């Protein structure tokens, strides 16, 4: 292994737990740990990309200040307004969608359904006469059928669900001062590591990768691509640019290992033919999932549950591919930064500060284990493992 190992770091998705990434990066900055490749997704892409534009030696400090003050909400206001400070409803699009819906004659067809109305009337009389059906479940079902038949509720419901909107909130505001505060041109400066993030192309139905320099079929990192990589379906609107429509890529690949080993030689350039280490900062974990106290908690679980075990599986599959499923086995080190499920999905500054501290200590622990040799790989053990799996 080289005196200066060739390292990659993966910063995965996890929204409100951005503090974990930043705390880990702060520790690595203190220890002067350099990463040659940054593989990013969702909130990890926001953290990694903003980090690269900051002043050398103060990158973690400035990234921490940016996210704490610009993205996370103060604790007092968050208590009664549990929404982050960036992703809000698209008021202009809501207005356009409403006008478009109201002005389309097709949306007034089949609003009144006489047969359904009569059926509900009959069912209401049957319900009143059948005491066995006097329970919460049957009353709820009747109420739902009543609303489905009522012309007014039918119209309002179709206006809500069938208008030309693809998400509850909007993430890409082209001219916002928030987005303009991110200097994307800084990513292309000499000496910057190779940086890439993902987003899912809904037209080609494939994961698309975006990089800070020309590379294979990767596209250029831009404000649009960064917003697209966090556009969680239903929660945020999809984003259209370059002739295609995109949503969050972490839905497909949470830790973004795709191509990391197979094309590391090209990504590293003159630094060498192969990675020595991959550091994994995966902030969504099944331990984060807990019983919801309210709808806000439930939505946090909804956003994160898909990635809780998928991320773990991605790491396991990556290890299998790296060691056992390549023509030439990779014997580098994979270092997991274990955050231990000690944060939550609140977008308030208290949670952010806690996440930063947890991230720092998790990275410190991983670094000590790494220095002690816990992650070293025995090439002979890899060869024996390959023989074992080939027999199976």
């Amino acid at each position: 292994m080289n005196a200066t190992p060739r390292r990659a770091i993966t910063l995965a998705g996890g929204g409100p737990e951005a503090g974990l990434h930043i705390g880990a990066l702060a520790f690595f900055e203190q220890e002067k740990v350099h990463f040659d490749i940054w593989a990013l997704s969702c909130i990890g892409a926001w953290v990694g990309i903003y980090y690269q534009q900051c002043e050398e030696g103060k990158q973690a400090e400035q990234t921490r200040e940016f996210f704490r003050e610009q993205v996370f909400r103060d604790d007092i206001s968050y208590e009664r307004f549990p929404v982050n400070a960036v992703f809000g409803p698209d008021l202009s699009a809501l207005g356009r969608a409403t006008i478009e819906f109201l002005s389309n004659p097709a949306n007034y067809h089949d609003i009144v359904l006489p047969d359904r109305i009569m059926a509900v009337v009959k069912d209401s009389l049957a319900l009143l006469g059948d005491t066995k059906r006097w329970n919460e479940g049957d009353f709820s079902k009747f109420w739902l059928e009543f609303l489905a038949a009522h012309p007014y509720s039918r119209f309002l419901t179709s206006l809500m669900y069938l208008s030309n909107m693809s998400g509850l909130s909007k993430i890409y505001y082209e001219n916002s001062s928030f987005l303009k505060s991110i200097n994307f041109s800084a990513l292309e400066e000499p000496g910057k590591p190779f940086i890439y993030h993902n987003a899912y192309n809904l037209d080609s139905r494939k994961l698309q990768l975006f990089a800070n320099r020309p590379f294979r079929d990767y596209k250029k990192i831009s404000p649009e691509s960064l917003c697209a990589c966090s556009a969680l379906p239903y929660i945020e609107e999809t984003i259209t640019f370059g002739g295609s429509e995109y949503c969050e890529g972490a839905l497909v690949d949470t830790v973004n290992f795709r191509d990391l080993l197979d094309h590391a030689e090209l990504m590293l350039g003159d630094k060498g033919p192969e990675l020595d280490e991959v550091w994994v900062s995966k902030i969504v974990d099944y331990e984060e999932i807990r019983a919801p106290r309210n709808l806000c908690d439930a939505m946090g679980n909804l956003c994160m549950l898909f990635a809780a075990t998928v991320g773990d599986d991605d790491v396991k599959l990556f290890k299998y591919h790296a060691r056992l499923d390549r023509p030439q086995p990779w014997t580098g080190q994979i270092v997991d930064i274990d955050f231990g499920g000690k944060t939550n999905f609140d977008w308030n500054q208290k949670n952010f500060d806690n996440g930063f501290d947890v991230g720092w200590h998790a990275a410190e622990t991983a670094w000590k284990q790494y220095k002690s040799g816990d992650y070293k790989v025995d090439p002979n053990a890899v060869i024996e493992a390959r023989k074992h799996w080939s027999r199976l």
Side-chain angles (χ1 to χ4, degrees), residues 55-354:
E55 181 182 348
E56 190 74 27
K58 297 183 178 179
Q59 291 168 294
E61 176 188 340
Q62 293 175 1
T63 303
R64 180 182 187 180
E65 181 181 1
F66 173 78
F67 277 86
R68 190 180 192 279
E69 301 302 325
Q70 299 295 326
V71 179
F72 285 73
R73 192 170 295 282
D74 67 274
D75 301 330
I76 294 176
S77 63
Y78 190 82
E79 287 183 5
R80 295 300 174 188
F81 193 76
V83 179
N84 67 38
V86 179
F87 310 145
D90 187 349
L91 299 179
S92 60
L94 283 169
R96 289 194 301 271
T98 300
I99 293 172
E100 178 184 319
F101 185 90
L102 295 176
S103 60
N104 186 353
N107 292 324
Y108 295 88
H109 295 169
D110 297 327
I111 293 298
V112 179
L113 300 177
D115 292 344
R116 292 300 307 147
I117 293 173
M118 288 303 299
V120 169
V121 171
K122 291 179 180 178
D123 190 46
S124 66
L125 295 174
L127 178 62
L128 290 173
D130 186 357
T131 56
K132 292 181 179 180
R133 293 178 58 192
W134 291 10
N135 60 74
E136 188 175 2
D138 282 342
F139 276 117
S140 177
K141 184 177 185 304
F142 168 78
W143 181 242
L144 191 62
E145 294 304 316
F146 173 85
L147 293 174
H150 196 289
Y152 185 65
S153 65
R154 283 174 59 78
F155 186 77
L156 284 182
T157 303
S158 59
L159 171 62
M160 290 168 57
Y161 286 99
L162 303 179
S163 294
N164 185 24
M165 296 288 291
S166 61
L168 296 176
S169 60
K170 184 176 181 178
I171 195 171
Y172 177 58
Y173 288 98
E174 180 179 3
N175 297 314
S176 70
S177 57
F178 170 77
L179 203 53
K180 287 183 176 180
S181 66
I182 302 176
N183 181 12
F184 288 87
S185 63
L187 302 177
E188 303 171 26
E189 294 174 355
K192 292 296 183 184
F194 186 89
I195 306 162
Y196 71 100
H197 75 78
N198 61 21
Y200 188 73
N201 188 319
L202 291 160
D203 296 312
S204 66
R205 299 181 184 179
K206 293 180 180 179
L207 196 71
Q208 176 64 54
L209 298 176
F210 300 83
N212 64 330
R213 64 186 68 152
F215 185 75
R216 296 174 60 85
D217 59 346
Y218 292 31
K219 296 184 178 181
K220 183 179 179 180
I221 292 176
S222 66
E224 295 93 335
S225 74
L226 178 58
C227 291
C229 82
S230 294
L232 184 65
Y234 182 71
I235 306 300
E236 283 94 24
E237 294 181 22
T238 55
I239 298 170
T240 300
F241 63 98
S244 296
E245 189 171 2
Y246 294 90
C247 69
E248 180 175 322
L251 291 165
V252 178
D253 192 345
T254 56
V255 282
N256 213 16
F257 287 135
R258 187 183 298 268
D259 292 347
L260 189 55
L261 291 184
D262 294 343
H263 305 296
E265 180 177 0
L266 298 175
M267 294 179 182
L268 288 167
D270 59 2
K271 294 180 180 178
E274 194 170 68
L275 281 169
D276 298 310
E277 301 167 9
V278 176
W279 290 66
V280 182
S281 182
K282 185 185 67 63
I283 60 180
V284 174
D285 190 272
Y286 72 92
E287 293 177 331
E288 306 289 349
I289 309 301
R290 49 181 62 92
R293 299 162 299 176
N294 46 48
L295 283 176
C296 188
D297 275 1
M299 181 171 287
N301 280 352
L302 171 67
C303 295
M304 305 304 170
L305 272 169
F306 73 87
T309 55
V310 171
D312 287 337
D313 291 341
D314 281 348
V315 176
K316 293 173 184 175
L317 288 170
F318 175 69
K319 291 178 179 178
Y320 170 81
H321 174 67
R323 312 288 192 213
L324 308 173
D325 195 35
R326 302 179 78 218
Q328 192 69 27
W330 182 69
T331 56
Q333 301 182 48
I334 300 173
V335 183
D336 291 298
I337 304 170
D338 185 4
F339 299 112
K342 296 178 181 177
T343 61
N344 54 56
F345 303 133
D346 292 335
W347 286 99
N348 62 342
Q349 292 174 344
K350 178 181 179 181
N351 185 48
F352 177 82
D353 292 338
N354 177 59

